[in-house]
Amino acid sequence: MNTDYVLMKGNEAIAEGALRAGCRFYAGYPITPQSEILEYMSLNMGKRGGTFIQGENEISSMSMIWGAAAAGARCMSSSSGPGYDLKQEGISYLSSYNLPAVIVYAMRYGLGDGEITAGQDSYWEAVRGGGHGDSRQIVLAPASVNECASLTYEAFDIAEKYRNVVIILSDGAVSQMIEKCNLPEPKEHDIDEFDWVISGKPLGTKKNKVTNLDRTIGYEASDKYVLDKYKTMFENEQRWEEFETDDAELVLVAYGISSRVCKTAVRQARKNGIKLGLLRPVTVWPFPRKAFEKMPESVKGYVTVEMSLSTQMGEDVLLAVKHSKPLYSYLTTYHIPTADGIVDYCNSVIAGDVEPREVI
Amino acid sequence: MADIIMAGFGGQGILTAGKILIHVAAGEGKNVSWTSSYGAEMRGGTASCSVVISDEEIGSPYPAKLDVLLAMNEPSFDKFIGDVRDGGYVIVNTSLMSKREYPKNVQVYGVDATDKANNIGNNRAANLVMLGAMMKVTGMVSVDKFGEGLQDYFDLKGHNTSTNIECYSAGAEDVKAL
Amino acid sequence: MATYRKPVSIINEAGWCGGCGHGVVQRLITECLEELGLQDKAVCVVDIACSYWSLDALDYDAIAGPHGRCAAVATGIKKVRPDSTVYVHAGDGSSYVIGLSETCYTAIRDIPITMIVVNNGIFGMTGGQMNLATTLIGDKTVSSKEGRDADTMGHPVDMLNIIKNLDVEFAARGALYDAKHIDETKRYIKRGFENQMNKKGFSIIEVLSPCPTNWKMTPIQAMEKIKNENEKMFPVGIYTDRGGETV
């Protein structure tokens, strides 16, 4: 029996996972449903010898991250919805000099103020975002409290490996739920590990100028560096989980909270002889295209289950299968999907009562 | 394996009752999940949390059909009673229920949780009275064992009092079929 | 005794316009750092505006803040590297307009950095638009062509009068229009670095500085304008000094 667990919220697991990864700088601003991250950091960061700052806004918090990351610290910020919009400026800056940092996006539903409850309709913003300019961020989507801790812990290594921003894409449900969590071993990070940091160095030695990378090494070298890096990340970092896909006729594609419900739906459907499977992207960028290449011949179509108004992730599914299979989307907006609802929808798909999704 | 919703109004300790339940169930080696209503869902006065206890990996932490409903006031009962599966358990706080008919397809039990807690002198512990009733009725965990886990929960929090277990035990003793 | 040796920290040319005050400010910063022996631990934070030129001109580790966010960037660095000498060289648009919040909250947090703000009453890098905080009433800019009008554009504001009430270590304003004032400005900047060296709090030094290009004046006319007009609205001197010593 596993006795090493703690019971904690997804948000707390994200914060503790970061601290155990050696994150020693956090700056952020409160917004539901991620405020427990900030609160947890306010209580615990000082005990680990790090800095917690409740910023005057998200923009300044990200600027502090820009400075702290350039100085070599493992650092993190977190937000949601309108707050995350403001973080995009900082993500663009971090990407301009290829600084590593981990940014948490606990999605809430809707435009503008929207709802403070769970949603997945900021998928595009998280996956295609990164602020102005042309950049990619690795986006990890935990579906359990355990993954909140383990993926955040690992995110710092990935961020440094590629010198890139990594996004933890959670939602109001995963962030707010309590489950058993096995916490990773604490470790420390050396702020002088990398040669690109700014620290204050003797005259006559090599200095770092933290600004757009092209201003230092030229556009040609910078463009090549960045494109090569994105390609490597795309090749190396695709992660996913498969559930009952071996003989599936219809494969559900879902991440985060929706994927949890999908798993229940698959079990339920299979009891009634309906061959559903689940493909759960763990990285939503890079989207796990390799998983689709390996899907069995039995698969007749894909159904994305998304808490959004439009088919968002479905676009990536169509790209992954090169439009070779029909795509359906079960979209539940601000409602958490139910297993019954998913199974009913899939029955309609199988019966031919649902038109495939057109992506506009 | 149980899908549970606990509901009441803010301040009745609903979320804590759920946390105590998962603390004990997790200690018994079960997988557990706890989710709460917050924000816009909460407007209108009903606070609730969903608890899933399972030997298997937990899929959806939001149960569709309930094995147990613990309702600490009447609006909560009305809101969730339709979600209880046939034969499921419903425990109501009769201190805050009007005289009414209960559905026959479920097993309804009641305890004067608010009054009991007030009489014992811990007016914030009606939730513990309800937990006592729930353990007695469902046998999910034995009454004694759950009581130990409950004490452990408050000890870890650093604010246990003797009236906690007293309220809990009163719930187990006084619960009645309705 | 003042030194006439060019600071060895300056290793590249900067691209400031003729008669601009930024170069003088950069020189004063480097002289102070070298005289205090801090040149080997200096980290320079410039803004995405005219001060950006200093990024490559100096033999220091340096970072360009997002426009307006220099004080927040410096906060991040100083917290991670408390033994480094972290300073901001930014303009008044950055520090007092778009970055007002960052500047004030860095002051409120009393972050032990040295912040040097160039007050030239204009947005220089973007072509000479009005600065809400520092363009004088009646001054003509490309976005106040008839002259700044208080009824529609509000009054300029003396930010040091606000910042001095935020319990900071040191706040002072200098000017560059003659040798005496340049010397005084240097003493203020040096004090700002000494405070950081001595682990004291937030120091801000504002410098009244000419922008002949955007003011459409000769450098000498620009100096005269500062002396006769800008200094009246923005008096030089020490606004607050927690140490209470004379500078």
Side-chain angles (χ1 to χ4, degrees):
Chain A
M1 192 170 87
N2 165 20
T3 54
D4 292 336
Y5 67 88
V6 285
L7 288 169
M8 59 195 335
K9 278 192 174 185
N11 278 338
E12 295 166 338
I14 287 170
E16 183 60 33
L19 290 171
R20 286 175 180 239
C23 171
R24 292 295 175 267
F25 191 92
Y26 174 94
Y29 187 86
I31 183 170
T32 308
Q34 62 79 46
S35 295
E36 289 91 350
I37 299 174
L38 173 130
E39 291 162 16
Y40 194 95
M41 288 299 195
S42 75
L43 183 65
N44 293 293
M45 182 60 94
K47 295 175 191 166
R48 320 284 173 101
T51 299
F52 163 82
I53 296 182
Q54 182 164 332
E56 51 273 26
N57 55 56
E58 284 88 351
I59 294 173
S60 69
S61 301
M62 287 303 286
S63 296
M64 293 176 206
I65 298 284
W66 170 238
R74 286 193 157 186
C75 43
M76 186 167 99
S77 187
S78 57
S79 195
S80 181
Y84 189 86
D85 299 349
L86 299 178
K87 296 207 176 285
Q88 298 262 23
E89 178 197 67
I91 294 173
S92 180
Y93 272 87
L94 289 162
S95 305
S96 75
Y97 188 70
N98 299 277
L99 285 181
V102 176
I103 314 295
V104 182
Y105 193 158
M107 285 183 286
R108 53 194 250 167
Y109 183 79
L111 297 162
D113 184 28
E115 295 293 330
I116 60 174
T117 49
Q120 295 183 310
D121 56 337
S122 294
Y123 177 89
W124 280 331
E125 185 183 30
V127 172
R128 317 258 195 272
H132 57 286
D134 200 330
S135 72
R136 283 295 192 183
Q137 290 73 40
I138 291 175
V139 185
L140 304 168
S144 64
V145 174
N146 214 36
E147 275 191 348
C148 282
S150 64
L151 291 178
T152 307
Y153 183 80
E154 213 186 324
F156 288 90
D157 293 330
I158 300 171
E160 281 166 8
K161 179 178 177 188
Y162 296 105
R163 274 184 67 176
N164 210 84
V165 172
V166 176
I167 311 287
I168 303 293
L169 185 64
S170 169
D171 56 65
V174 169
S175 270
Q176 291 289 333
M177 67 194 282
I178 301 177
E179 289 186 308
K180 284 182 173 178
C181 179
N182 295 99
L183 290 166
E185 278 303 304
K187 60 183 173 187
E188 291 293 332
H189 167 71
D190 176 8
I191 58 173
D192 290 313
E193 183 177 341
F194 300 106
D195 63 5
W196 43 256
V197 301
I198 49 171
S199 53
K201 304 183 187 81
L203 294 182
T205 59
K206 184 183 170 293
K207 300 303 185 308
N208 291 314
K209 307 292 179 180
V210 179
T211 181
N212 286 45
L213 188 63
D214 55 72
R215 302 233 175 94
T216 316
I217 63 173
Y219 265 115
E220 206 173 320
S222 167
D223 291 353
K224 183 175 175 353
Y225 170 82
V226 165
L227 290 175
D228 286 352
K229 178 173 85 167
Y230 293 164
K231 198 169 175 208
T232 311
M233 293 188 322
F234 181 80
E235 286 301 321
N236 291 354
E237 296 301 326
Q238 296 180 30
R239 298 183 195 195
W240 67 91
E241 180 195 354
E242 287 173 36
F243 181 66
E244 303 278 8
T245 50
D246 287 351
D247 61 344
E249 290 180 15
L250 215 46
V251 171
L252 303 173
V253 187
Y255 65 98
I257 187 61
S258 295
S259 69
R260 297 284 294 256
V261 187
C262 284
K263 218 171 226 186
T264 301
V266 169
R267 289 194 186 112
Q268 212 165 295
R270 286 203 167 247
K271 276 184 197 157
N272 296 317
I274 305 161
K275 289 183 176 169
L276 288 192
L278 168 66
L279 197 162
R280 174 173 79 91
V282 176
T283 52
V284 283
W285 198 92
F287 196 70
R289 287 194 198 168
K290 291 177 187 175
F292 289 85
E293 289 162 15
K294 294 175 15 187
M295 281 294 126
E297 288 297 314
S298 57
V299 177
K300 296 193 174 73
Y302 293 92
V303 178
T304 63
V305 179
E306 308 179 61
M307 289 181 69
S308 55
L309 190 60
S310 306
T311 295
Q312 296 200 2
M313 184 181 58
E315 289 187 350
D316 286 328
V317 174
L318 283 177
L319 278 174
V321 301
K322 301 185 174 66
H323 292 260
S324 65
K325 295 276 162 80
L327 168 75
Y328 305 88
S329 290
Y330 181 62
L331 307 173
T332 64
T333 64
Y334 54 92
H335 302 288
I336 307 272
T338 62
D340 285 346
I342 294 167
V343 174
D344 286 351
Y345 182 84
C346 290
N347 280 330
S348 304
V349 168
I350 291 164
D353 295 340
V354 181
E355 288 295 309
R357 258 321 139 164
E358 296 286 336
V359 171
I360 52 168
Chain B
M1 174 81 189
D3 291 339
I4 301 154
I5 279 186
M6 307 170 124
F9 54 73
Q12 282 187 308
I14 277 297
L15 305 187
T16 301
K19 287 179 185 174
I20 295 168
L21 180 58
I22 60 167
H23 174 79
V24 180
E28 296 283 300
K30 307 287 187 189
N31 289 320
V32 296
S33 70
W34 175 103
T35 58
S36 69
S37 59
Y38 65 94
E41 291 173 71
M42 263 170 72
R43 288 173 204 154
T46 307
S48 67
C49 64
S50 302
V51 170
V52 178
I53 299 172
S54 178
D55 291 318
E56 317 273 301
E57 179 191 5
I58 294 172
S60 173
Y62 297 92
K65 278 287 175 193
L66 304 176
D67 299 301
V68 183
L69 168 64
L70 190 146
M72 287 194 68
N73 64 5
E74 195 142 20
S76 306
F77 175 87
D78 291 333
K79 184 172 177 184
F80 293 109
I81 186 65
D83 297 334
V84 183
R85 68 173 89 245
D86 288 350
Y89 294 102
V90 180
I91 296 106
V92 298
N93 175 10
T94 40
S95 300
L96 299 178
M97 297 292 287
S98 56
K99 290 242 176 278
R100 61 185 289 164
E101 288 293 307
Y102 290 102
K104 302 287 178 230
N105 65 322
V106 294
Q107 309 178 57
V108 184
Y109 293 83
V111 64
D112 287 332
T114 304
D115 298 334
K116 289 274 168 221
N118 287 344
N119 292 343
I120 290 167
N122 187 348
N123 59 9
R124 295 180 60 193
N127 57 345
L128 307 184
V129 179
M130 293 294 284
L131 281 174
M134 180 178 163
M135 286 312 126
K136 173 74 176 182
V137 165
T138 63
M140 194 179 286
V141 178
S142 78
V143 171
D144 288 348
K145 199 153 198 189
F146 193 92
E148 286 165 25
L150 181 146
Q151 300 260 47
D152 182 53
Y153 176 88
F154 286 110
D155 288 340
L156 286 171
K157 293 268 169 201
H159 50 71
N160 202 359
T161 66
S162 60
T163 52
N164 284 340
I165 194 71
E166 225 179 300
C167 286
Y168 168 80
S169 303
E173 282 157 25
D174 294 342
V175 64
K176 289 182 184 62
L178 296 177
Chain C
M1 190 56 208
T3 172
Y4 295 96
R5 180 178 60 82
K6 182 185 151 202
V8 290
S9 303
I10 303 176
I11 53 169
N12 286 313
E13 276 186 20
W16 289 301
C17 311
C20 172
H22 270 285
V24 181
V25 170
Q26 175 184 271
R27 168 126 190 181
L28 296 180
I29 289 169
T30 48
E31 284 182 7
C32 290
L33 285 169
E34 290 182 16
E35 287 167 24
L36 294 169
L38 297 172
Q39 69 282 357
D40 291 342
K41 23 158 94 178
V43 176
C44 161
V45 182
V46 296
D47 185 52
I48 310 282
C50 294
S51 69
Y52 189 91
W53 289 110
S54 208
L55 184 93
D56 288 319
L58 303 183
D59 191 12
Y60 302 150
D61 274 344
I63 181 168
H67 179 55
R69 322 292 170 210
C70 294
V73 174
T75 297
I77 301 164
K78 187 68 182 177
K79 288 287 183 182
V80 176
R81 304 267 178 187
D83 294 330
S84 300
T85 302
V86 182
Y87 75 91
V88 172
H89 173 180
D92 43 359
S94 165
S95 308
Y96 295 161
V97 184
I98 194 169
L100 174 67
S101 172
E102 282 79 359
T103 301
C104 285
Y105 275 98
T106 305
I108 289 166
R109 290 189 188 99
D110 204 17
I111 302 292
I113 58 164
T114 309
M115 181 159 185
I116 296 124
V117 179
V118 173
N119 175 346
N120 57 14
I122 207 143
F123 280 83
M125 182 68 95
T126 48
Q129 294 81 9
M130 180 187 70
N131 184 307
L132 281 166
T134 57
T135 298
L136 301 184
I137 297 296
D139 275 4
K140 291 178 180 167
T141 72
V142 296
S143 62
S144 59
K145 291 198 172 177
E146 310 283 306
R148 180 173 185 166
D149 161 21
D151 287 346
T152 57
M153 304 171 210
H155 286 274
V157 56
D158 185 340
M159 280 303 302
L160 292 188
N161 267 333
I162 293 173
I163 292 171
K164 76 177 184 191
N165 293 306
L166 302 179
D167 193 21
V168 298
E169 188 66 40
F170 183 70
R173 177 180 291 122
L176 302 176
Y177 60 76
D178 60 24
K180 175 173 161 278
H181 283 88
I182 291 175
D183 251 12
E184 185 187 37
T185 302
K186 181 174 173 182
R187 283 201 299 279
Y188 295 157
I189 293 175
K190 200 164 186 176
R191 180 60 179 280
F193 284 124
E194 283 166 349
N195 286 339
Q196 194 171 166
M197 197 166 73
N198 296 327
K199 308 276 181 200
K200 293 185 174 176
F202 179 76
S203 302
I204 183 165
I205 299 93
E206 184 192 306
V207 184
L208 297 178
S209 177
C211 181
T213 299
N214 286 305
W215 292 0
K216 300 181 173 44
M217 292 178 181
T218 66
I220 290 171
Q221 287 170 329
M223 294 301 194
E224 289 296 318
K225 173 176 155 44
I226 293 173
K227 185 177 170 182
N228 298 326
E229 299 174 26
N230 298 58
E231 194 187 345
K232 302 263 185 316
M233 169 70 204
F234 301 111
V236 297
I238 296 173
Y239 282 68
T240 187
D241 182 2
R242 199 188 276 150
E245 298 156 35
T246 52
V247 174

